[in-house]
Amino acid sequence: MSSNHLIVKASGEKEHFDISKLENSLKRSGADDFTVSQVLQEITDWIFNGATTREIYKRAFNALKKKKLSTAARYSLKKGLMELGPSGYPFEHFIGQLLKYQGFEVQVGVMVQGQCISHEVDVVATSGNKQNLIECKFYNTQGKFANVQVPLYIRSRVDDIIKKRKALPEYKDTEFYGWIITNTRFTSDAEEFGKCSGLHLMGWDYPTTHSLKAMIEKNSYFPVTVLNSIEKFYLKALLKNGIVVCHQIQQNPNTLLEVGIKESKINRILNEVEALC
């Protein structure tokens, strides 16, 4: 249900505050009905004309955080993805880990020879006779869209690689697919070009049922940057050590000690990780 209050989106556009959108995002984070109603009431009592989506998110997140850390972590997924920076390197490894978890054989940041020139491919994900050549576009600010220039450029690179590989005996029966995965969104022109050219696009909420957000939530495979029980200094240290997903901490808790986190804090972190995973 929309209200009369006009709020400001990350892009600068204004729209009427729709409490049902907030309600749905809270429910997707795993919050129970009672918690959802409490948070909605708090936001409804507070909302004002000119409030930004960032302010709304922050207030809802803080309310959730008081209730349950793991629920707040799920709700903060979008922000967590943007903190896989400032470079795109941790994001590439996160995508690699996510695909590996789904059974793909994965290579990250590899040089691949094309027909004309060699190319650095962010992620090569292979399953059976299908190989996916993936470009990861990372942005650390909301409201930033991948425009049509991105798929135009990637389509030509992918075609150059495919042309070369199809001529090699080891790839005789292989089917190749080009992908772009971004943590934000694509412009409508980029989406149209992707559909027309056969280039697969995946963004924060695109396509609707197979988006990056949906894939993460479906697999409960969250980046470490959503964790609320670890200070930012230690999160950066984990990323530097190649620890980009919560499952890596779950599989080897010693990674927490290795970056200097005190033993007295580790149980709290592991409890949050367990609830997420």
Side-chain angles (χ1 to χ4, degrees), residues 16-249:
H16 288 285
F17 174 59
D18 188 346
I19 198 167
S20 64
K21 289 183 179 179
L22 176 59
E23 182 180 10
N24 290 334
S25 67
L26 291 169
K27 287 180 176 178
R28 284 196 303 270
S29 73
D32 57 60
D33 290 343
F34 179 69
T35 301
V36 169
S37 65
Q38 284 186 311
V39 175
L40 291 179
Q41 188 59 58
E42 182 172 330
I43 297 300
T44 301
D45 292 343
W46 163 83
I47 196 74
F48 58 91
N49 280 321
T52 65
T53 51
R54 182 182 179 88
E55 289 172 324
I56 296 167
Y57 156 78
K58 188 176 180 180
R59 197 171 187 93
F61 171 74
N62 286 335
L64 274 181
K65 192 174 177 181
K66 292 174 186 175
K67 309 292 180 184
K68 192 174 181 181
L69 282 177
S70 62
T71 302
R74 289 189 182 91
Y75 184 71
S76 67
L77 175 57
K78 191 174 191 178
K79 177 173 172 284
L81 286 174
M82 288 190 172
E83 289 179 352
L84 286 171
S87 72
Y89 181 74
F91 182 63
E92 294 168 18
H93 278 265
F94 172 72
I95 296 300
Q97 288 285 342
L98 181 57
L99 293 171
K100 188 176 179 181
Y101 182 70
Q102 295 178 74
F104 287 88
E105 182 183 328
V106 170
Q107 296 173 287
V108 177
V110 291
M111 293 302 298
V112 177
Q113 184 60 49
Q115 183 70 19
C116 301
I117 60 171
S118 60
H119 306 267
E120 184 174 1
V121 180
D122 292 338
V123 180
V124 178
T126 308
S127 179
N129 69 333
K130 295 179 171 61
Q131 187 168 92
N132 302 282
L133 306 166
I134 303 166
E135 175 77 8
C136 299
K137 294 301 293 182
F138 173 78
Y139 300 100
N140 55 14
T141 55
Q142 292 190 38
K144 185 81 173 178
F145 286 55
N147 64 34
V148 72
Q149 297 300 322
V150 177
L152 279 168
Y153 172 58
I154 300 306
R155 179 74 269 177
S156 64
R157 292 182 64 203
V158 167
D159 287 346
D160 189 42
I161 294 168
I162 293 174
K163 190 173 181 180
K164 176 66 176 179
R165 292 206 156 186
K166 278 189 172 180
L168 298 174
E170 61 265 40
Y171 295 109
K172 180 184 175 184
D173 299 316
T174 303
E175 297 175 22
F176 295 97
Y177 302 91
W179 283 82
I180 303 172
I181 300 179
T182 182
N183 62 316
T184 57
R185 294 185 169 98
F186 296 96
T187 62
S188 58
D189 281 352
E191 291 174 5
E192 285 303 313
F193 181 79
K195 291 175 187 174
C196 181
S197 68
L199 190 65
H200 298 279
L201 306 186
M202 178 184 286
W204 164 248
D205 54 4
Y206 178 86
T208 307
T209 55
H210 296 88
S211 65
L212 179 58
K213 176 185 176 185
M215 184 162 65
I216 294 169
E217 291 178 340
K218 180 182 178 182
N219 290 280
S220 294
Y221 210 71
F222 292 89
V224 294
T225 43
V226 302
L227 295 172
N228 297 292
S229 50
I230 303 180
E231 296 169 1
K232 284 190 176 182
F233 173 81
Y234 295 115
L235 284 174
K236 288 180 180 179
L238 286 170
L239 294 179
K240 189 176 180 180
N241 285 4
I243 307 302
V244 293
V245 293
C246 294
H247 274 71
Q248 290 173 289
I249 294 174

